[in-house]
Amino acid sequence: MASYVIQPRKTAKGETRYRCLVRSSTGSESKTFGKHQVAKEWGILRCAAIENEAITGNLRRVTIFELLNMFYEDKDLWAATGRSKRYVIKMLMDCDIASIHADQLRTSDIIEHCKNRRDAGTGPSTVYQDISFLRSVMKKAKPVWNINANWQVFDEAVPVLIDMKLVGKAQKRTRRPTNDELVRLREGLRNRMDNHGASIPFTDILDFSILSCMRIGEVCRIRWDDLNEENKTVLVRDRKDPRKKAGNHMIVPLLGKSFEIVMSQPRTDDRIFPYNERSVTAGFQRVRNALGISDLRYHDMRREGASRLFEAGYSIEEVAQVTGHRNLNILWQVYTQLYPHKLHDKFKTA
């Protein structure tokens, strides 16, 4: 246990100086200051540092690269990691910051990394992911591997990075496909199915994704056993929820023609759409690129579906029952982009 005491002293010129004496089991040290508050702050910091050294004295010391690699090889941690985080962690292992020892990471090192990423054309929101995921791994270093890692440095670094505009939140995405784009996409996907002998029913999955507002991973995961034909609902298992990683099941209504699309699928597998989600999105991307449609992602179909429900007059609570959002504010701000001219149609039916 370290402690400190501050001793005021008069100089030959009559000025008051403050000597801070720090004592611990390993010895003592002192430093003199012109102000009492500065001496006090130094004493607090030195006591904390001495106690931290005593705690971490038996901890292992590795580079950030080694730490990231250990995380990568730990199946219990890696299996629960999403694709985005996996990609970022692999990328960080090739960056200059990976050569620094985890216990010696400084704010200046983090700033330099963020500047390098910015200069390479990476946006502030993506750079923020680097910092967030690196902090997450470093915070696990001591309890999981008995490794000393200075994860507390991020508390100091993040406000500075924000001030320097090196990191920031992602801009709200508002992209919706136009009717013309959807017509062209359906035609292009049909041609792909005919000309390439594709077994994936791209057009059915595209229309179902819009009507159900499901993520493509959820579409490819729903099962025949979870379908209630009488009520026209399906149980969607493990829906994405930041507060709950598993067991977040929801009964979702199959509105409009989505139920008909489901019933038209062959029952050759336990799943209704037994396809790899990456193959579905890859086919969509190839057709989209060939058509010259820019800045349109498959996930935008989810926004399109939610926006259509709002335009049709569904309440936010009803839309949330379809999309699976627990936070209604996120649903309204992120997953809706209403067309103002659609209000004329609603007014005519009022």
Side-chain angles (χ1 to χ4, degrees):
M1 184 74 176
S3 63
Y4 72 93
V5 61
I6 298 176
Q7 303 166 333
R9 294 186 172 186
K10 291 285 186 179
T11 66
K13 295 182 178 181
E15 298 174 346
T16 303
R17 304 280 288 175
Y18 300 91
R19 177 174 178 262
C20 182
L21 176 63
V22 177
R23 297 189 181 94
S24 68
S25 58
T26 59
S28 63
E29 57 183 293
S30 65
K31 196 170 182 178
T32 302
F33 302 88
K35 293 183 178 181
H36 183 278
Q37 183 62 30
V38 177
K40 179 181 178 181
E41 290 176 357
W42 181 81
I44 293 173
L45 289 173
R46 283 304 302 145
C47 287
I50 292 170
E51 292 179 8
N52 184 60
E53 289 171 3
I55 294 172
T56 61
N58 296 323
L59 297 182
R60 296 166 57 195
R61 187 165 180 260
V62 300
T63 63
I64 290 176
F65 174 88
E66 292 173 297
L67 181 61
L68 293 172
N69 192 56
M70 292 172 70
F71 180 88
Y72 179 83
E73 293 180 348
D74 193 318
K75 293 182 179 179
D76 292 332
L77 295 171
W78 192 248
T81 304
R83 272 195 301 170
S84 295
K85 189 171 183 178
R86 292 185 184 194
Y87 172 81
V88 171
I89 289 173
K90 288 181 179 179
M91 180 276 301
L92 286 171
M93 293 171 70
D94 291 328
C95 294
D96 292 340
I97 198 171
S99 63
I100 300 170
H101 279 88
D103 62 336
Q104 293 184 339
L105 183 64
R106 301 168 300 178
T107 296
S108 58
D109 299 321
I110 299 174
I111 291 174
E112 183 179 359
H113 169 79
C114 293
K115 284 183 176 180
N116 291 338
R117 292 279 279 150
R118 177 201 60 190
D119 294 343
T122 308
S125 61
T126 303
V127 177
Y128 185 76
Q129 280 193 329
D130 290 11
I131 303 308
S132 177
F133 293 158
L134 179 57
R135 180 183 185 274
S136 175
V137 173
M138 291 183 65
K139 200 169 182 179
K140 294 179 174 67
K142 181 180 176 182
V144 178
W145 300 289
N146 197 37
I147 287 174
N148 190 19
N150 183 23
W151 62 266
Q152 296 90 341
V153 70
F154 294 98
D155 295 336
E156 175 188 71
V158 171
V160 178
L161 295 172
I162 293 174
D163 287 343
M164 297 176 70
K165 294 182 169 47
L166 291 171
V167 301
K169 292 183 178 180
Q171 293 183 345
K172 177 185 174 183
R173 185 167 177 81
T174 60
R175 181 72 159 94
R176 287 179 64 179
T178 65
N179 289 333
D180 177 66
E181 287 173 337
L182 286 174
V183 169
R184 294 166 59 202
L185 280 168
R186 289 190 185 97
E187 183 179 356
L189 289 170
R190 276 193 293 268
N191 290 336
R192 180 174 181 80
M193 292 163 60
D194 295 338
N195 298 332
H196 293 79
S199 60
I200 300 176
F202 286 106
T203 53
D204 280 355
I205 293 177
L206 178 70
D207 289 336
F208 182 82
S209 297
I210 296 174
L211 292 167
S212 68
C213 302
M214 290 185 193
R215 302 170 181 86
I216 185 57
E218 294 169 346
V219 172
C220 295
R221 200 165 60 239
I222 55 175
R223 303 170 61 86
W224 287 109
D225 290 346
D226 294 329
L227 177 67
N228 186 319
E229 296 184 33
E230 180 180 355
N231 295 331
K232 295 183 179 181
T233 61
V234 68
L235 179 67
V236 181
R237 299 179 180 275
D238 298 326
R239 298 207 86 168
K240 183 179 179 181
D241 188 333
R243 297 164 299 180
K244 194 175 182 181
K245 298 299 183 183
N248 185 33
H249 310 325
M250 284 190 68
I251 296 176
V252 177
L254 297 177
L255 302 177
K257 293 184 178 180
S258 62
F259 179 74
E260 297 175 18
I261 293 174
V262 165
M263 297 305 295
S264 69
Q265 304 307 307
R267 303 201 181 202
T268 56
D269 192 276
D270 292 339
R271 293 177 294 156
I272 297 173
F273 298 101
Y275 311 103
N276 188 306
E277 62 181 274
R278 295 187 184 182
S279 299
V280 176
T281 54
F284 168 84
Q285 290 166 358
R286 290 191 182 96
V287 171
R288 176 203 61 194
N289 295 342
L291 293 171
I293 298 174
S294 62
D295 189 36
L296 184 65
R297 307 170 186 170
Y298 196 92
H299 194 73
D300 293 331
M301 302 304 117
R302 178 166 159 83
R303 180 181 300 101
E304 172 68 14
S307 298
R308 287 186 182 188
L309 292 177
F310 278 112
E311 289 167 351
Y314 286 88
S315 69
I316 190 169
E317 292 83 5
E318 291 169 333
V319 176
Q321 184 62 45
V322 180
T323 63
H325 283 92
R326 304 293 188 185
N327 188 322
L328 300 185
N329 188 49
I330 291 178
L331 170 60
W332 181 253
Q333 290 187 354
V334 179
Y335 282 94
T336 61
Q337 180 60 27
L338 307 184
Y339 289 137
H341 68 272
K342 293 286 187 179
L343 296 179
H344 292 294
D345 298 331
K346 187 176 178 65
F347 182 80
K348 291 175 183 178
T349 61

